Amino acid sequence: MRKKDFEKEQRVKEAVIKLILEEGFEGASISKIARAAGVSPATVYIYYDNKEQMLSSIYREYANSTYEYLMDRIRADMDGRQLVSSLVRGYYSYITDNSEIYRFVEQCSHCPTLSAQEYNDVCCAFDFFDCMKDRGVLRRYSNESLAAIIFSPVKAISTEYPAGGRRAEDLLDELIQIVSEAILM
């Protein structure tokens, strides 16, 4: 049995993201992925049992990386407004700094086969929201509504202003004010 090689596995992941974004799910065959990664199709099967398992695994890894990125920016001593600012600015930074990964995760979240797993991927964020509600930081709105209020406008701003700049900063400042007023106790 052949051993796993981290560099090859990373090249496979990068090839999956590139091909899914360029050709969609149907256009990204194992042979095309292998060719784009510079490995043999047999090498792809060292890391993944099949295409569906591969997509699911990579989607979950990168969806979870978004959450981990945001949580790494949170400190226990933050007040509510600092928390909102960290989530809003952190999500904007993640989207703009990792645009291909973000677009891949977004595309996967609209795939019926993969979207069934989406709730599990956001459970950690929902657990965080529950903790903040218990601490009296957030209002007791549904976690789905909190996620929509915090993150959906950030997606819109990042789409309109992916390179940042003064206008993006002004919009993020305004969004932080609006979200803070809406969800903080």
Side-chain angles (χ1 to χ4, degrees), residues 4 13 18 24 30 44 73 81 131 143 171:
K4 292 183 178 184
K13 290 176 188 177
K18 180 179 183 281
I30 294 292
V44 174
R73 301 171 62 95
R81 184 165 170 89
C131 179
N143 290 328
L171 290 171

Side-chain angles (χ1 to χ4, degrees), residues 16-171:
V16 167
I17 291 170
K18 180 179 183 281
L19 285 169
I20 294 293
L21 293 176
E22 289 176 0
E23 301 185 25
F25 294 110
E26 297 303 319
S29 67
I30 294 292
S31 61
K32 283 185 180 179
I33 291 165
R35 195 170 28 258
V39 300
S40 72
T43 300
V44 174
Y45 288 109
I46 291 173
Y47 306 105
Y48 306 102
D49 295 336
N50 55 51
K51 182 178 170 182
E52 291 75 24
Q53 189 266 332
M54 175 179 58
L55 291 174
S56 175
S57 176
I58 295 170
Y59 165 60
R60 292 178 72 80
E61 176 183 341
Y62 287 120
N64 287 331
S65 75
T66 306
Y67 172 75
E68 291 166 6
Y69 179 88
L70 292 174
M71 292 300 100
D72 285 346
R73 301 171 62 95
I74 303 297
R75 295 184 327 272
D77 64 339
M78 288 181 161
D79 65 24
R81 184 165 170 89
Q82 291 170 323
L83 176 72
V84 169
S85 178
S86 182
L87 291 172
V88 166
R89 290 186 185 288
Y91 195 48
Y92 179 84
S93 293
Y94 185 86
I95 291 171
T96 57
D97 293 346
N98 302 282
S99 63
E100 283 191 345
I101 291 171
Y102 167 75
R103 289 187 359 250
F104 170 77
V105 169
E106 281 293 295
Q107 188 164 341
C108 287
S109 72
H110 298 291
C111 173
T113 307
L114 297 174
S115 65
Q117 303 166 12
E118 188 173 5
Y119 179 77
N120 292 330
D121 294 332
V122 297
C123 269
C124 293
F126 286 3
D127 290 344
F128 173 72
F129 289 161
D130 288 337
C131 179
M132 292 298 103
K133 287 185 248 183
D134 291 343
R135 284 185 40 206
V137 175
L138 297 179
R139 295 181 190 269
R140 293 212 165 268
Y141 296 137
S142 71
N143 290 328
E144 293 84 357
S145 292
L146 288 170
I149 290 167
I150 296 168
F151 300 120
S152 294
V154 178
K155 291 178 186 182
I157 293 169
S158 69
T159 299
E160 197 65 32
Y161 300 96
R166 186 72 242 151
R167 182 68 179 144
E169 284 299 314
D170 290 345
L171 290 171

Side-chain angles (χ1 to χ4, degrees), residues 1 14 49 90:
M1 184 167 167
E14 290 167 3
D49 295 336

